[in-house]
Amino acid sequence: MTCLVCLWRRRPRTVLDLWLMVVTCAWFFDVALSAVLNAGRFDLGFYAGRIYGLLAASFVLIMLVVENSILYGRLVESHGKHARRLEILHEIDRAVAAEETPDAIAGAAIQPLREVLQVSRAVVNIFDLAAGEVEWLAAAGRHRTRVGPGVRYSIRLMGDVEALKRGEPQVIDTHALPPGPEVDALLASGVHCYMVMPMIAGGELIGAVSFGGEEGSFPDEQKSIAREVATQLAIAVNQARLYARLKRQAEELELRVRERTAELEAANKELDAFSYSVSHDLRSPLRAVDGYARMLEEDYGKTLDAEGIRLLGVVRANSQRMGQLIDELLAFSRLGREPLHSRPVQLDELVKQIVDETRSDPRSISSSGTSGSLRRIRRC
């Protein structure tokens, strides 16, 4: 009866639970039916057979209940490991989304990984193949967790590097390694044998997850968990490295832009100073020419004939035109730093102005011509 109540109250029920409940109910029904049909008479052989059958059925039922409890415990343990594995992968994804550093990503996953693998020690390593060295990103033991690079040792402790590049894990016997401080530290922490699971990103070996303890056997489930986490860590660490590199390049580019901007501003200031100096130096002789021509016209205009008056007018007009050209050159030098403004231009006036300037030049060839009405265009 107690067994039936326990099976009824268990949630959730499995198929084996339902089958055990059916068997238990059939057992009770058999006992009750035997008591009703044999009431009032005594048959030792009948009751002995019934008792033997009930004892045998009870033994089978007890064994089934024990087996069911064992299977249920294994199921709960497997479910817990799977949930823990998903939690580790979620921590890695969260660290990547938060744009954390490679050592922070490894530190978020290493202690939960050690607990899931049920080993004495687990380490996330980064390889420096050129130097033949390995550097810790994070390490977790039973009592503490260390995060951050700094501990470096020979890559020979990782086993066959070429096999790791092919994605093959390595099993290392600590006692077979050459004596050294690293081996002494491993033995002191209870690591007599450890496995090295490669971390490969983009076809390149960037590191490995190493874990181990006193036992030298590594079940397939343990290897599967370690391989899955190592693959995710490789992708996360590689992305963090790329992000750090891009961030550093962006900062360098921003610094260069600021430096070039400062240089450009200094060059613009020098150009403004030069333009002002040139403008001032060119205007002085022009003002002198225009002033002397004006005084000559005012003081001696009565003694000059018509051709002399015309020539003085040409001198003054060209000196004023030269001053206008200087102003326009200064305005043109500032166009690159000012917004463009468009306005309509009448081509008839522009052509007439060019013809008049050509005729006033004594070195120009005498020419004549006519032009029709030209349309208006927009000028920037």
Side-chain angles (χ1 to χ4, degrees):
M1 180 64 70
T2 303
C3 178
L4 183 61
V5 172
C6 292
L7 291 173
W8 176 260
R9 298 184 64 179
R10 172 179 285 186
R11 295 291 189 280
R13 299 191 187 98
T14 63
V15 176
L16 182 58
D17 294 335
L18 297 176
W19 186 80
L20 289 175
M21 291 172 64
V22 172
V23 172
T24 305
C25 291
W27 183 31
F28 278 113
F29 179 76
D30 182 60
V31 172
L33 185 62
S34 299
V36 171
L37 295 178
N38 291 279
R41 67 187 182 89
F42 179 77
D43 187 348
L44 181 61
F46 177 81
Y47 280 106
R50 283 296 178 184
I51 292 173
Y52 174 78
L54 291 176
L55 290 176
S58 299
F59 177 76
V60 173
L61 182 61
I62 292 172
M63 294 301 296
L64 289 175
V65 171
V66 172
E67 182 69 19
N68 180 56
S69 300
I70 294 174
L71 292 176
Y72 184 77
R74 291 177 180 176
L75 179 63
V76 171
E77 182 181 0
S78 176
H79 179 73
K81 287 184 178 180
H82 183 70
R84 195 61 173 158
R85 182 192 306 187
L86 293 179
E87 183 180 350
I88 295 173
L89 298 179
H90 174 70
E91 286 295 326
I92 296 174
D93 293 338
R94 183 198 59 78
V96 172
E99 300 176 353
E100 295 185 0
T101 58
D103 52 333
I105 295 173
I110 190 61
Q111 187 60 253
L113 176 63
R114 188 198 67 81
E115 295 174 357
V116 171
L117 296 178
Q118 298 178 352
V119 293
S120 302
R121 194 177 190 181
V123 182
V124 178
N125 309 277
I126 289 296
F127 290 176
D128 187 352
L129 298 178
E133 293 182 338
V134 179
E135 186 175 18
W136 275 7
L137 277 186
R142 288 193 175 97
H143 305 292
R144 65 174 182 172
T145 300
R146 177 170 180 171
V147 178
V151 179
R152 300 179 70 93
Y153 47 91
S154 174
I155 201 172
R156 291 179 297 176
L157 297 179
M158 296 290 101
D160 188 355
V161 177
E162 295 300 324
L164 290 175
K165 290 181 179 180
R166 295 191 297 267
E168 302 173 3
Q170 301 290 296
V171 178
I172 310 297
D173 185 2
T174 308
H175 298 279
L177 294 173
E182 295 86 1
V183 176
D184 295 338
L186 288 172
L187 294 175
S189 59
V191 179
H192 297 274
C193 185
Y194 60 93
M195 172 172 281
V196 180
M197 188 64 66
M199 294 168 48
I200 300 176
E204 179 184 359
L205 178 66
I206 65 172
V209 175
S210 58
F211 57 94
E214 297 180 356
E215 299 181 359
S217 61
F218 300 94
D220 293 338
E221 183 183 9
Q222 201 176 46
K223 295 179 183 178
S224 175
I225 295 174
R227 186 182 297 277
E228 184 176 5
V229 174
T231 301
Q232 193 73 6
L233 277 174
I235 297 173
V237 170
N238 193 46
Q239 288 181 349
R241 283 178 164 182
L242 291 176
Y243 175 76
R245 188 182 306 167
L246 290 176
K247 185 177 180 181
R248 184 171 59 254
Q249 292 177 352
E251 292 175 352
E252 293 176 356
L253 181 60
E254 185 178 357
L255 178 61
R256 291 181 183 177
V257 169
R258 287 199 298 265
E259 292 175 352
R260 295 294 176 83
T261 302
E263 293 175 359
L264 182 60
E265 290 177 353
N268 287 334
K269 291 180 180 179
E270 293 178 359
L271 181 60
D272 289 340
F274 175 76
S275 300
Y276 177 79
S277 176
V278 170
S279 172
H280 182 270
D281 293 342
L282 290 178
R283 287 177 188 276
S284 296
L286 285 177
R287 284 196 297 266
V289 171
D290 183 62
Y292 281 113
R294 180 174 54 81
M295 288 188 295
L296 181 62
E297 183 180 5
E298 292 176 353
D299 296 341
Y300 301 97
K302 296 180 180 180
T303 61
L304 296 175
D305 57 4
E307 182 64 18
I309 296 297
R310 187 186 70 81
L311 293 176
L312 282 177
V314 171
V315 170
R316 293 197 61 191
N318 280 278
S319 63
Q320 294 173 2
R321 175 59 181 163
M322 186 63 183
Q324 183 180 359
L325 288 176
I326 292 174
D327 294 336
E328 291 177 353
L329 283 175
L330 289 175
F332 180 76
S333 66
R334 299 189 183 97
L335 284 179
R337 289 165 287 167
E338 296 180 358
L340 296 178
H341 300 284
S342 60
R343 61 184 179 87
V345 176
Q346 183 57 258
L347 292 181
D348 290 339
E349 297 178 0
L350 184 60
V351 171
K352 182 177 181 300
Q353 183 180 359
I354 294 173
V355 171
D356 292 341
E357 291 178 357
T358 304
R359 288 176 177 174
S360 63
D361 189 354
R363 296 172 299 175
S364 62
I365 301 175
S366 177
S367 61
S368 62
T370 60
S371 63
S373 177
L374 300 176
R375 65 175 183 174
R376 178 177 296 186
I377 63 172
R378 298 193 66 83
R379 172 186 175 187
C380 294

